[in-house]
Amino acid sequence: MSNDGHMVAEQTEQAKIKLDHVVIRFAGDSGDGMQLTGSQFSDTSAMLGNDIATFPNYPAEIRAPEGSIYGVSGFQVHIGEVEISTPGDDVDVLVAMNPAALKTNFSAVPKGKTIIVDIDEFTSKNLTRAGYDQNPLDDGSLDSYVIIKAPITQLSRESIKDMGLDNTSMNRTRNMFALGMVFWMFSRPLDYTIKFLEKKFGNKPNIFEANVKVLKAGYHYAETLELLPSAFTVLPAKMTEGTYRIIMGNTATAWGFLAAAEKSGKQLFLGSYPITPASDILHELSAHQHFGVVTFQAEDEIAGVCSAIGAAFTGDLAITTTSGPGLALKSEAIGLAVMTELPIIVVDVQRGGPSTGLPTKTEQADLLQAMYGRNGECPVIVIAPSTPANCFDFAYEASRLAMEHMTPVILLSDGYIANGSAPWRIRSIKEMQPINPAPAPAPEAAADWMPYLRNPDTLARQWALPGTPGFEHRIGGLEKEDFTGHISYDPENHEHMVKRRAEKVKRVENYIPEQQIDGAQSGDLLVVGWGGTYGSLITAVKSLHEEGKSIGLAHFNYLNPLPRNTREVFSRFKKIVICELNMGQFATLLRSEFPDFQYLQYNKVQGLPFTVLELNEHFSGLLK
Amino acid sequence: MHGINTKKSLNTQNSSTETNNNMSELPTYTFKDFASDQEVRWCPGCGDYVILRAMQKALPMMGRRREDFVFVSGIGCSSRFPYYMNTYGFHGIHGRAPAIATGVKLANPKLSVWVITGDGDGLAIGGNHMIHAIRRNIDLNIILFNNKIYGLTKGQFSPTSDIGQKTKSSPYGNTQRPFNFGELTVGSAGQFYARVPDNNPNDMADIFVAAEKHHGTSVVEVLQNCVIFNDGAFDSMVDKSVREDMLLYLKQGEKMIFGKEKNKGIRFNGRQLEAVTIGENGITEADILVHDATDPNPSMHFMLTQLQYPLPVGVIRSVDSSTFEELVDTQVSASVQKSKFKSVDDLLFSGETYQV
Ligand SMILES: Cc1ncc(C[n+]2csc(CCOP(=O)(O)OP(=O)(O)O)c2C)c(N)n1
Ligand code: SF4
Ligand SMILES: [Mg+2]
């Protein structure tokens, strides 16, 4: 991101410095409540009309030793008056609750920016735990930063010392002090958080009161503190009018399925086995069984997908959720769903691989597994959401395509958008595209009905459900004769069926939108991306385009089949660069699909998203 | 089933046995109504034919509509079964039938769902799904065709093959100790287990009916002869010439008596079960145990599954308790009832929203 510029201050009448966007990171021990602190800050900002993007960074260990490097938990918030598409690269304000938090997050803060530390935590014991030989606050290493040394622990305790709380409870309020300080810095009101605390600690009035006291103490401390640079403000962003909420990618995915179930009149069934970073979808849908959702935590991933196949055979909107290792286990069963031409949705929230890999980090390296990772000629629809909020839309779309075309769909989310959150303009289900699942055959058709009779346009077969008299039929994984569905080993029939299944998926291109381009509609450089990298790519492309460069972005959500105008889009640019968080899987796909173009690649496999800065530099180089 | 998706509920109701009073009455079926038009392709003399026949005979006795039966199988000779039944059927992938069937049952608990599997399918590759289906007590009827061999892949040993058994993949004799499926079922908290040889279709049909009636996972192990790769595997116990002396036919509430002369029985000697002869060594009929399949305590059933001589057949355990799908359905229905959200819209617009 082009951080230069936005810190250029502009005095307002209240002597507040107006910023167009700012990145704040809260970091502390996993017990310090940083996720809560960060989301309070982002939610409050969203309520004020800012655009936001957030990203949590949890430690892989559940309960790492206190004060240790690997126990550090962080939450980054990017708020803006301008459109915000990523949680931001560089941190403008870092809140470090202990030395380990400073150590692990320091490199994200450019020189000249602000770091708030809890000075009370910089004891020699904690410094050693964090691996510091000497205190970085004293040795001059932080001289080119604005360091605010606040006695957060001491002042928190001080402000509630008469309440009779035990030691642990007193210490637990520290995060509210830090939050109060940052609220003041960015001119945010406290009332949203106070309301939140009231709800959270409704039955513990003492704890509620203590937290509010400490929150206010932090706010007033910042106000009276001379060390703190003047207060900033970030004005509301210009966003489309409407009702908004902050939503996380995995929640949006879960809700998209709920909406699709209601819209299509189907019962939602989820068969799943827990795996990071997909488990939250299982949790979310389990919490919403009041919509009639059945969630089945199976004994393994294979049982998860197989139970979904059984539920699809019986007429449910059936899904299974997993991450890369689980997708590998599901391959054989996905082939069964292809063969039986049943609609299931397989959600793969990608993480770093291969094998167990980097469970809590993001990557886009399951694309070819989703495309080809099965025995036989086994095409499925593959689509990918590109922002936390549009996880909703693509879960909905996956459901629509699966049930209208009677074929499995793989939905490729990733750890980055799944755990990230952003404002989402809520639409009523009534406004959403209708879903018309493949119909059950009409009762009078029973006499000469066959299980593989097809819709002539989509080639989808009909959905005759167990329990319906007159349509008793058998399907399975052996090759079928077209129409009758009888087992057939006939060579010609096999080739015919292989082509039919491919054609059925290919024809989906007639039922999905054309590929759009952001920025220049033709010209020098077309940036091509897919899935969760949209935020970084659009930010980089937009800024270069605004500078007058001939650059556009074709960001793909539909990966198989590709939008029908893809070739035409590619032909409008002199250069094409494909950017992916893998070694070039989409590039491989495009080279085989449209070999007549030259594709450049920009790849990163560090378990991290692209930074806008590195993209900017790379694209600028290509545009020279 | 849960009321929120009205279309679905209507569909389900139309097809359910309980609610179709105003539809035509239950047709009187014969075994022919359950035979599909597919040519049966097992080897001549294979025990699978007897099982097919027994099933087609049993279904008309169950008082259920044809469209409510679903047969789900894995892969193996045995797993071809659904193609030969004129019911709903799903030929799955190797070992996964219990998982597929679980999805069917959860999606529509009113269906009568059957799992057809083999000793390889159900106990090797699918062993995990098998034990978990059983422990959940989901109302599936699982019929395992145990021929102590992999038939379809032409004769490798299976998890039920005996030590020393010579097969294509154990030419010097099998060195892997076998599972006893009865033990495994009871050990997996199974509530229904029956064992039946493949040369007695009438008994088998009765056991299928009992399995269907049982509320919860019903496991039926059929001792099935593979004429090609393991011919005669059970002959020493089940052959017509010896079976009265070698098999113990268990009947609910009756004494465990066996033998051509009906003079032998089973007693508990304080440590284990043993076969004794009435009238010898001071043994009287009073010493002979009475079979109670419905005892919730599985200890006696466990010992029965382990008994090698005589080999117990019939329903060894049948204990009624709540099923998985009932627990799910009760919980989901209660949540639907209590919910303040009537539409997903209510959720989308709930909680912390704000206006721009
Ligand atoms: C994933 C997979 N692995 C292996 C096979 C090969 N295979 C098919 S059936 C079978 C064993 C079947 O034995 P069993 O379940 O005892 O059935 P039977 O043929 O004896 O009735 C095997 C190994 C397969 N179809 N799929
Ligand atoms: S191989 Fe054995 S089990 Fe398979 S059909 Fe032939 S006799 Fe039956
Ligand atoms: Mg076998």
Side-chain angles (χ1 to χ4, degrees):
Chain A
M1 166 191 60
S2 56
N3 257 327
D4 5 74
H6 78 277
M7 282 300 260
V8 175
E10 185 189 308
Q11 292 294 122
T12 67
E13 58 287 0
Q14 302 109 325
K16 282 181 185 166
I17 298 169
K18 239 176 16 174
L19 305 174
D20 60 6
H21 65 127
V22 66
V23 177
I24 301 155
R25 188 185 289 182
F26 298 88
D29 202 71
S30 37
D32 285 343
M34 292 295 101
Q35 310 297 324
L36 184 149
T37 312
S39 44
Q40 281 307 304
F41 187 80
S42 60
D43 289 1
T44 298
S45 299
M47 302 284 167
L48 295 180
N50 291 138
D51 197 3
I52 67 157
T54 75
F55 192 69
N57 195 350
Y58 309 106
E61 285 74 15
I62 303 294
R63 285 277 176 269
E66 219 176 292
S68 66
I69 293 281
Y70 47 98
V72 173
S73 160
F75 193 93
Q76 184 159 319
V77 188
H78 189 183
I79 62 170
E81 178 188 352
V82 293
E83 192 181 333
I84 299 296
S85 303
T86 77
D89 305 348
D90 293 341
V91 173
D92 299 311
V93 178
L94 170 67
V95 177
M97 299 296 284
N98 65 12
L102 177 64
K103 177 113 185 188
T104 43
N105 291 282
F106 175 64
S107 63
V109 190
K111 292 208 165 89
K113 302 293 161 124
T114 305
I115 301 176
I116 301 175
V117 296
D118 181 358
I119 187 84
D120 300 330
E121 287 288 309
F122 282 68
T123 59
S124 60
K125 194 166 107 197
N126 283 349
L127 287 164
T128 314
R129 273 191 192 153
Y132 280 116
D133 294 335
Q134 42 192 342
N135 192 338
L137 303 178
D138 303 335
D139 68 1
S141 59
L142 299 175
D143 280 356
S144 40
Y145 299 83
V146 181
I147 302 289
I148 298 168
K149 302 176 194 171
I152 292 177
T153 306
Q154 192 204 319
L155 293 179
S156 301
R157 297 177 62 100
E158 185 71 20
S159 60
I160 51 173
K161 66 171 188 295
D162 300 328
M163 293 187 64
L165 293 178
D166 61 59
N167 217 15
T168 322
S169 305
M170 279 170 86
N171 284 346
R172 282 223 181 107
T173 60
R174 297 166 60 229
N175 60 333
M176 286 298 122
F177 194 93
L179 181 60
M181 288 179 70
V182 182
F183 272 156
W184 181 83
M185 267 182 96
F186 293 96
S187 320
R188 316 274 95 166
L190 305 182
D191 47 346
Y192 174 80
T193 295
I194 294 175
K195 242 194 272 159
F196 166 85
L197 292 169
E198 193 174 353
K199 229 191 254 167
K200 185 171 161 88
F201 298 117
N203 49 355
K204 294 178 194 152
N206 223 19
I207 304 282
F208 162 66
E209 204 187 312
N211 275 284
V212 173
K213 270 192 176 164
V214 175
L215 178 71
K216 288 184 174 165
Y219 190 89
H220 296 311
Y221 170 78
E223 200 174 19
T224 44
L225 185 71
E226 282 167 24
L227 281 174
L228 210 61
S230 21
F232 303 104
T233 191
V234 179
L235 294 179
K238 288 165 217 66
M239 306 212 290
T240 317
E241 264 179 32
T243 307
Y244 282 77
R245 68 183 310 131
I246 310 297
I247 199 157
M248 257 186 34
N250 271 342
T251 311
T253 302
W255 289 14
F257 289 123
L258 290 174
E262 182 169 321
K263 191 77 170 187
S264 61
K266 291 282 176 186
Q267 178 174 286
L268 182 58
F269 177 91
L270 167 66
S272 184
Y273 189 77
I275 184 169
T276 303
S279 304
D280 279 339
I281 306 173
L282 167 64
H283 305 161
E284 184 64 20
L285 286 175
S286 303
H288 290 300
Q289 71 174 12
H290 56 80
F291 286 122
V293 185
V294 172
T295 56
F296 170 52
Q297 181 177 317
E299 56 274 21
D300 62 22
E301 277 86 351
I302 300 174
V305 63
C306 284
S307 64
I309 291 173
F313 178 58
T314 315
D316 278 2
L317 166 53
I319 65 175
T320 184
T321 50
T322 191
S323 186
L327 183 63
L329 286 171
K330 291 176 197 289
S331 323
E332 187 196 10
I334 296 172
L336 177 64
V338 166
M339 203 65 162
T340 50
E341 307 196 24
L342 284 171
I344 58 163
I345 296 119
V346 181
V347 181
D348 173 9
V349 185
Q350 299 166 95
R351 63 190 218 181
S355 187
T356 310
L358 306 170
T360 59
K361 303 288 172 198
T362 198
E363 204 159 277
Q364 295 185 301
D366 294 349
L367 174 60
L368 292 183
Q369 179 179 215
M371 284 293 299
Y372 300 121
R374 291 169 292 282
N375 60 305
E377 297 289 349
C378 197
V380 298
I381 298 174
V382 182
I383 63 179
S386 46
T387 68
N390 80 14
C391 284
F392 181 96
D393 305 312
F394 285 95
Y396 187 91
E397 180 72 340
S399 312
R400 180 182 77 87
L401 293 175
M403 292 194 289
E404 292 185 352
H405 297 265
M406 292 295 275
T407 180
V409 177
I410 296 181
L411 182 69
L412 284 179
S413 177
D414 64 56
Y416 182 61
I417 55 174
N419 284 320
S421 60
W424 175 51
R425 194 171 66 82
I426 311 164
R427 285 174 306 139
S428 161
I429 293 193
K430 293 179 206 91
E431 298 166 39
M432 293 173 197
Q433 192 174 358
I435 297 178
N436 302 306
E444 56 278 11
D448 38 30
W449 182 79
M450 295 181 285
Y452 281 71
L453 280 177
R454 294 172 189 283
N455 174 317
D457 299 324
T458 60
L459 300 182
R461 64 183 198 89
Q462 295 177 335
W463 205 356
L465 309 185
T468 320
F471 295 93
E472 292 85 354
H473 67 280
R474 278 69 54 195
I475 56 175
L478 286 170
E479 183 61 284
K480 300 284 171 290
E481 187 176 77
D482 210 1
F483 305 116
T484 66
H486 292 153
I487 299 173
S488 168
Y489 301 130
D490 179 72
E492 246 98 77
N493 174 72
H494 176 53
E495 188 162 308
H496 168 75
M497 289 300 275
V498 164
K499 289 181 174 161
R500 276 255 143 154
R501 289 185 286 263
E503 174 69 13
K504 189 174 71 159
V505 171
K506 174 76 175 152
R507 284 194 194 182
V508 170
E509 70 180 18
N510 300 323
Y511 301 87
I512 58 173
E514 293 203 331
Q515 182 60 43
Q516 302 297 314
I517 309 176
D518 292 302
Q521 296 301 300
S522 63
D524 294 342
L525 180 61
L526 179 69
V527 174
V528 171
W530 65 273
T533 51
Y534 175 76
S536 335
L537 292 173
I538 189 67
T539 310
V541 169
K542 242 193 194 162
S543 73
L544 290 169
H545 187 238
E546 276 162 16
E547 286 170 23
K549 300 275 168 37
S550 173
I551 184 171
L553 170 66
H555 198 84
F556 286 75
N557 295 109
Y558 296 89
L559 302 165
N560 195 42
L562 290 162
R564 53 197 178 278
N565 64 333
T566 303
R567 168 188 297 280
E568 190 270 322
V569 163
F570 288 176
S571 69
R572 292 194 230 157
F573 289 82
K574 288 188 196 129
K575 277 186 190 171
I576 301 172
V577 60
I578 305 168
C579 305
E580 304 175 75
L581 300 176
N582 59 36
M583 295 287 280
Q585 300 197 5
F586 194 40
T588 303
L589 210 74
L590 291 174
R591 279 189 190 110
S592 76
E593 193 82 2
F594 307 111
D596 37 336
F597 298 100
Q598 282 256 338
Y599 302 97
L600 303 169
Q601 287 179 219
Y602 187 64
N603 301 100
K604 178 173 176 179
V605 271
Q606 303 176 357
L608 295 171
F610 288 123
T611 68
V612 177
L613 190 69
E614 68 198 7
L615 291 174
N616 257 328
E617 274 174 15
H618 189 76
F619 299 155
S620 300
L622 293 177
L623 283 163
K624 264 190 201 127
Chain B
M1 77 184 201
H2 306 298
I4 198 131
N5 288 322
T6 41
K7 271 190 213 160
K8 166 67 190 252
S9 312
L10 284 178
N11 277 346
T12 316
Q13 276 174 11
N14 283 343
S15 60
S16 75
T17 42
E18 293 140 59
T19 49
N20 59 47
N21 309 335
N22 48 5
M23 289 179 65
S24 57
E25 269 175 27
L26 183 70
T28 350
Y29 298 114
T30 71
F31 74 91
K32 283 197 199 111
D33 293 304
F34 290 99
S36 80
D37 57 357
Q38 297 295 295
E39 189 191 335
V40 184
R41 297 213 196 155
W42 288 309
C43 307
C46 174
D48 291 0
Y49 284 96
V50 183
I51 309 176
L52 179 65
R53 198 51 193 255
M55 187 64 80
Q56 288 167 344
K57 201 168 158 270
L59 294 193
M61 303 195 272
M62 292 177 191
R64 304 210 46 155
R65 309 185 77 88
R66 182 169 66 187
E67 62 270 20
D68 288 342
F69 289 109
V70 184
F71 282 82
V72 181
S73 65
I75 300 291
C77 295
S78 33
S79 288
R80 289 298 186 93
F81 194 93
Y83 288 114
Y84 308 138
M85 299 293 298
N86 187 13
T87 62
Y88 282 92
F90 199 102
H91 184 212
I93 46 179
H94 200 21
R96 318 302 174 192
I100 297 168
T102 296
V104 172
K105 187 73 182 176
L106 288 177
N108 185 354
K110 289 177 179 137
L111 299 171
S112 173
V113 185
W114 296 73
V115 169
I116 304 295
T117 183
D119 41 322
D121 191 63
L123 298 178
I125 191 166
N128 195 33
H129 308 308
M130 181 64 75
I131 58 176
H132 288 282
I134 294 172
R135 78 157 162 103
R136 291 185 192 109
N137 202 33
I138 183 167
D139 196 356
L140 304 175
N141 308 303
I142 301 175
I143 315 297
L144 184 133
F145 298 20
N146 182 8
N147 53 13
K148 297 190 177 187
I149 197 83
Y150 286 5
L152 190 71
T153 46
K154 300 194 165 61
Q156 301 82 9
F157 64 86
S158 88
T160 57
S161 296
D162 299 320
I163 286 270
Q165 188 175 320
K166 290 203 163 109
T167 72
K168 284 228 187 86
S169 56
S170 60
Y172 297 99
N174 178 26
T175 49
Q176 299 188 15
R177 290 161 55 102
F179 268 140
N180 170 335
F181 190 34
E183 259 178 41
L184 188 73
T185 303
V186 177
S188 307
Q191 303 298 321
F192 184 106
Y193 171 75
R195 188 190 279 149
V196 61
D198 70 358
N199 58 0
N200 197 336
N202 290 334
D203 278 7
M204 199 188 296
D206 289 345
I207 282 177
F208 291 161
V209 173
E212 204 278 334
K213 280 227 168 68
H214 174 73
H215 175 239
T217 310
S218 312
V219 171
V220 179
E221 177 180 4
V222 182
L223 309 178
Q224 176 242 324
N225 192 38
C226 167
V227 280
I228 306 296
F229 299 110
N230 199 15
D231 195 21
F234 301 101
D235 275 2
S236 63
M237 304 305 278
V238 309
D239 190 79
K240 288 199 172 99
S241 60
V242 297
R243 68 185 181 192
E244 274 167 84
D245 282 325
M246 303 307 284
L247 298 181
L248 170 66
Y249 291 89
L250 291 169
K251 293 253 154 54
Q252 175 63 17
E254 293 184 11
K255 292 215 175 252
M256 300 184 192
I257 288 181
F258 71 103
K260 264 201 198 83
E261 323 282 301
K262 302 268 176 251
N263 63 339
K264 294 183 191 134
I266 304 297
R267 72 161 186 176
F268 182 62
N269 67 12
R271 220 166 52 82
Q272 60 190 31
L273 301 182
E274 67 178 357
V276 291
T277 306
I278 299 162
E280 280 178 13
N281 304 321
I283 305 269
T284 68
E285 259 206 58
D287 296 315
I288 305 302
L289 293 170
V290 172
H291 180 49
D292 182 10
T294 66
D295 185 356
N297 181 338
S299 314
M300 178 59 64
H301 306 145
F302 193 69
M303 286 190 281
L304 282 168
T305 62
Q306 294 182 310
L307 197 63
Q308 293 302 312
Y309 165 76
L311 188 71
V313 296
V315 178
I316 292 180
R317 179 171 173 79
S318 175
V319 177
D320 196 31
S321 60
S322 59
T323 69
F324 176 48
E325 76 279 6
E326 278 169 1
L327 291 176
V328 171
D329 199 33
T330 310
Q331 206 186 60
V332 172
S333 305
S335 303
V336 170
Q337 292 256 298
K338 268 193 283 180
S339 173
K340 57 181 199 293
F341 295 139
K342 294 303 166 205
S343 157
V344 174
D345 266 355
D346 301 335
L347 169 68
L348 304 187
F349 289 94
S350 70
E352 305 299 344
T353 64
Y354 59 97
Q355 298 297 322
V356 170

